[in-house]
Amino acid sequence: MNTETYINHPTFGLLFRVCPMGEDKELYTTLYAQRLFFVVTSDDEGLSFEPLTRGDARTVLENRLRQLRRMRLQKPYEQLQAIRKQLFQ
């Protein structure tokens, strides 16, 4: 099952979840332009948005792909690989 996650940024509108980054952190991009990237952290106080450069976002995504490949999680790897191709090629 392919689930997509969206959240609302106070300035940039809907953000699309690209991938998890670790405990309570996820990489998001703007829904329509897909040029602005954010690390979204959730805690007891709510959500915080940290802007990320396109190059840094690509590095985060490629690191996640390496993790999935090492864990031999083929389906999530293929899904994230498709997102990577859509965003960066």
Side-chain angles (χ1 to χ4, degrees):
M1 181 176 175
N2 187 8
T3 60
E4 295 179 349
T5 304
Y6 300 91
I7 59 173
N8 193 32
H9 186 280
T11 304
F12 298 105
L14 279 179
L15 302 179
F16 168 74
R17 185 176 71 123
V18 177
C19 68
M21 292 179 57
E23 193 170 320
D24 299 327
K25 287 187 177 183
E26 297 178 311
L27 178 63
Y28 280 81
T29 187
T30 50
L31 181 61
Y32 298 105
Q34 298 178 340
R35 297 283 181 223
L36 301 174
F37 294 87
F38 299 90
V39 174
V40 178
T41 305
S42 61
D43 57 21
D44 294 338
E45 297 176 15
L47 299 176
S48 63
F49 299 88
E50 178 185 337
L52 206 60
T53 67
R54 187 170 174 80
D56 288 343
R58 185 177 189 151
T59 300
V60 166
L61 191 133
E62 289 171 351
N63 286 340
R64 181 65 179 158
L65 282 169
R66 279 193 283 282
Q67 281 180 329
L68 293 172
R69 190 174 54 233
R70 279 193 298 259
M71 294 185 303
R72 295 190 169 110
L73 298 172
Q74 190 63 30
K75 185 167 181 150
Y77 175 85
E78 290 171 357
Q79 290 171 340
L80 190 56
Q81 182 71 359
I83 291 171
R84 184 186 71 79
K85 287 180 182 178
Q86 177 185 356
L87 290 175
F88 297 109
Q89 291 182 359

